[in-house]
Amino acid sequence: VALADWIFFKHGFQANETLGVVAIVGGSVLYTSFDLQYDATGYVLGLVYMISMIFNLIYIKYFFEQNQSLNMWTKTYYMNMLAIPLLIVMVLAFEGSAVGELSWSSISNSGLVCLGLAISLLGGALYAPIGKQLFGLSDAATQPGVSDTAQPGRSKALLAAVILLAVTSLSTTYTYVSSLNSQSQKFKWPLREELPSTRQISRHQNPEDCKKAKFMVYPFPHKQSTRNIGSIYGPVGYWLAFAIHEKRVLLFDDRDWPLGDCPTKNSECYFLPISKCKVEDLDALPAKEKYIMPNVDAYHTAPQQARVWHVPDAWWPGNGKDVIETTLWPGNKYRHKCHFWKEAILYLFQLQPWIKEEIARSMELSFPPSFDPKRAISMPIRASDHCQGHTLEHSSPGEYDCSKYTIERYMALAEEIRSYDSDVDTILLSSEDQKVVERGLKEYSDRWNILWNKKDVMQGTGSATGLTQTANHSLTISEVL
């Protein structure tokens, strides 16, 4: 913009102004040179945006150069009026939609950029003649000594138009905000697009051409398996790390998943797709392009030329820790495996909108308006089939001695936490075992404000195959989940 000032408007610059421009340019070059996640598409879009902004600013400078009689208020009105129609169009286009759930998957980034530029150009073309009329910008108005305030009728018309547009914009915006009363919008949901690392996973998982990509297919638990969603988290985090390491797209073979309680019968009953590529499309590939790993150790000798690796429903190869810590950030020695696990779960298990609505309704029902998370302790207590010596059917053997992990021990730890922070007064108690919640409410409500999920079915097991073995047999699997 400064260069255009000098070339087109013959503006000179003082030494300190020139130094300032040089410092800005040098600083931006220095800043971008340290970009650890360089993405060409992002920089191209940034360049397009920058060019459009430069053109916009230069045009505004030209307009004001040609109409030097405009006072500061008139200039401000003109700038704001340029923006109001676009805001109104955007509000009207998306009114009633839940902002967090808008899906742009069908519109490419370049398409959005072109749409934005087209709207900007159209707005400028429309406002050139309109602005001239509203502001009284006749040829005489550009002559020295002739002020725009010399035309009071048009000034009043301008003021009326600005007020009308402002009221319309505020009214429409109020309607738009009021429409955002879907329950899920009252809570902050982490999204894939928020973190640089999950955006990086998304780019890996959505190649330009699925027909040319290579794949690693993870099988979801079969009908006889007792494993549920929680026990799937561990393995898929490692397999996603290996898939990225091997430059393969991770897919779930979750067809006819026992917990899939919807027409598709797969994980997309509850979670968003993890890739635009589909596991069903791999069935038609010839056998020579597929490799079925007999066990996790076979990973090291798997043929690279095979387009599809079917990995076992098991944990991970021996060197999994090293791979998972450096998957997204090669050479970074300061990342723990938990960092990638968090990012993997955030990406792979993004909830469908209807589940967010259900969870939000449960939270509205269970949490009072005065709830302060800074004064609360989250206390999930696993019991029932997690305890050694249990007699529940359809479950794996217990994993620990529940006599050592009683609710008394949990509450003693809560008291210890409160000794460091006296403001802590709330327990968020949850368990699949109804007896645990009942004891907590009965024995500790006098010292603690205990909140629990009023819609929790507390089915008495963590087993996937036993989820419907509840007191209320009319419950569906999706209701239990």
Side-chain angles (χ1 to χ4, degrees), residues 196-265:
S197 49
T198 46
R199 289 198 297 269
Q200 199 169 343
I201 294 174
S202 182
R203 287 195 295 270
H204 170 84
Q205 286 290 107
N206 295 279
E208 292 184 4
D209 188 354
C210 292
K211 295 182 178 179
K212 297 180 180 179
K214 291 184 176 182
F215 301 92
M216 182 177 288
V217 179
Y218 175 83
F220 260 42
H222 49 75
K223 293 183 179 180
Q224 285 71 42
S225 176
T226 62
R227 295 175 60 199
N228 55 24
I229 294 174
S231 64
I232 295 172
Y233 281 174
V236 296
Y238 277 100
W239 288 122
L240 177 61
F242 276 98
I244 296 175
H245 184 265
E246 296 293 334
K247 296 181 174 55
R248 291 176 177 268
V249 176
L250 179 69
L251 295 181
F252 292 156
D253 190 353
D254 51 5
R255 292 171 284 185
D256 295 323
W257 182 39
L259 300 185
D261 193 13
C262 71
T264 60
K265 297 291 184 182

Side-chain angles (χ1 to χ4, degrees), residues 272-292:
L272 298 180
I274 65 171
S275 174
K276 68 179 183 180
C277 306
K278 301 297 182 183
V279 69
E280 294 85 358
D281 296 337
L282 305 181
D283 294 342
L285 293 177
K288 65 180 181 179
E289 295 193 32
K290 303 175 184 178
Y291 174 70
I292 300 177

Side-chain angles (χ1 to χ4, degrees), residues 46 52 83 103 216-217 232 259 287 323 403 469:
S52 68
S103 174
M216 182 177 288
V217 179
I232 295 172
L259 300 185
V323 171
S403 64
Q469 308 292 320

Side-chain angles (χ1 to χ4, degrees), residues 322-342:
D322 297 332
V323 171
I324 202 170
E325 289 183 2
T326 59
T327 295
L328 295 181
W329 314 94
N332 189 332
K333 299 180 180 179
Y334 301 99
R335 278 173 59 86
H336 190 270
K337 65 179 181 181
C338 290
H339 291 135
F340 183 80
W341 240 330
K342 172 198 68 177

